[in-house]
Amino acid sequence: MTEAETAPGPDGSGGHDEAHGGALGARLNWLRAAVLGANDGVVSTAGLVVGVAGATGDRSTLLTAGLAGLLAGSMSMAAGEYVSVSTQRDSEKAALAMERRELREEPEAELDELTGLLEDRGLSPELAREAAEQLTERDALRAHARVELGIDPDELANPWHAAGASFLAFTVGALLPLLAIVLPPASVRLYVTVGSVLAALALTGWWSARLGSAPVGAAVLRNVSGGAVAMGVTYAAGVLLGAAGV
């Protein structure tokens, strides 16, 4: 590998090996969010239907409870993600608007600032100044957005995409315990549900650990243990309520 392939680019980004680092990071964040959303769907819906199963074995009641939990959870996830990402997008737009105004009112100061930022990235003062001038001439706002703010003006956070992804991920995760509790015969439905949920949690724990380069064993153990405790607590509560005739 040559020095040119690893040296920082004129905008302060990495060379050839890191040219797509931002896009890759964004994709990994989306994938990690999808895995966590599916995991939430599995755990919350499993806890709900297993708790209801502790109180009653009626299939229609289990289906109603499971569907209600699926819809409530997925809508709540989508709404929360929409609000959160909308706030992030508003902040990005405000930062870009301020940068646009500063470039219009104080172009020389902004050029000096960009030069300093590029020097901080490892460029020599002369090369940093030359790069800053070229970037400013090409697209001053884009240069400052990427180097100073860490924002790509063409890829602002999209709240609708985030909401849709969260809704879909939670729904996919929630379908597993819902189908597992209503499809098998009454005599084995609880065992099927618990077994399939723990297997799914082991899988999501493994995948989330791989995405974050974390120890797999500990992540799987935490995920499976948390789900098992949640189902155990809600099942015990359901049994007690059923015995009390509630």
Side-chain angles (χ1 to χ4, degrees), residues 8 116-125 127-128:
L117 290 170
L118 293 176
E119 286 185 44
D120 293 340
R121 300 289 181 93
L123 299 182
S124 66
L127 182 56

Side-chain angles (χ1 to χ4, degrees), residues 89-103:
R89 186 181 179 89
D90 291 343
S91 298
E92 291 173 344
K93 286 184 174 180
L96 289 174
M98 178 179 294
E99 197 64 40
R100 188 178 292 109
R101 185 177 64 252
E102 291 175 347
L103 285 168

Side-chain angles (χ1 to χ4, degrees), residues 44-72:
S44 60
T45 306
L48 176 61
V49 297
V50 167
V52 175
T56 178
D58 182 67
R59 191 186 302 271
S60 62
T61 301
L62 292 171
L63 178 60
T64 300
L67 281 176
L70 184 155
L71 292 173

Side-chain angles (χ1 to χ4, degrees), residues 4 11 63 76 88 100 102 111 114 171 216 236:
D11 63 350
L63 178 60
S76 175
Q88 177 185 343
R100 188 178 292 109
E102 291 175 347
L111 180 60
L114 182 58
T171 299
V216 172

Side-chain angles (χ1 to χ4, degrees), residues 137 191 204:
E137 182 179 352
Y191 302 107
T204 56

Side-chain angles (χ1 to χ4, degrees), residues 16-161:
H16 177 74
D17 286 349
E18 298 178 1
H20 304 291
L24 177 60
R27 286 196 296 270
L28 287 176
N29 285 336
W30 278 102
L31 187 55
R32 186 177 293 109
V35 170
L36 295 177
N39 191 77
D40 287 344
V42 171
V43 173
S44 60
T45 306
L48 176 61
V49 297
V50 167
V52 175
T56 178
D58 182 67
R59 191 186 302 271
S60 62
T61 301
L62 292 171
L63 178 60
T64 300
L67 281 176
L70 184 155
L71 292 173
S74 59
M75 293 300 295
S76 175
M77 287 282 292
E81 196 70 13
Y82 179 83
V83 171
S84 175
V85 177
S86 292
T87 301
Q88 177 185 343
R89 186 181 179 89
D90 291 343
S91 298
E92 291 173 344
K93 286 184 174 180
L96 289 174
M98 178 179 294
E99 197 64 40
R100 188 178 292 109
R101 185 177 64 252
E102 291 175 347
L103 285 168
R104 184 175 61 252
E105 296 175 353
E106 301 176 327
E108 288 301 323
E110 289 298 299
L111 180 60
D112 292 339
E113 182 181 33
L114 182 58
T115 300
L117 290 170
L118 293 176
E119 286 185 44
D120 293 340
R121 300 289 181 93
L123 299 182
S124 66
E126 296 79 10
L127 182 56
R129 187 67 177 188
E130 180 182 354
E133 291 174 348
Q134 291 183 10
L135 289 171
T136 298
E137 182 179 352
R138 182 182 305 168
D139 192 329
L141 179 61
R142 186 181 304 278
H144 280 267
R146 289 180 172 176
V147 178
E148 180 181 350
L149 305 176
I151 297 175
D152 187 340
D154 296 329
E155 296 184 9
L156 297 182
N158 190 314
W160 289 108
H161 289 173

Side-chain angles (χ1 to χ4, degrees), residues 162-211:
S166 295
F167 180 92
L168 182 60
F170 187 96
T171 299
V172 169
L175 281 174
L176 174 66
L178 175 59
L179 296 177
I181 202 71
V182 299
L183 293 182
S187 59
V188 297
R189 64 168 52 126
L190 189 60
Y191 302 107
V192 171
T193 302
V194 172
S196 60
V197 165
L198 294 182
L201 292 177
L203 178 61
T204 56
W206 173 83
W207 187 241
S208 63
R210 291 296 301 274
L211 289 175

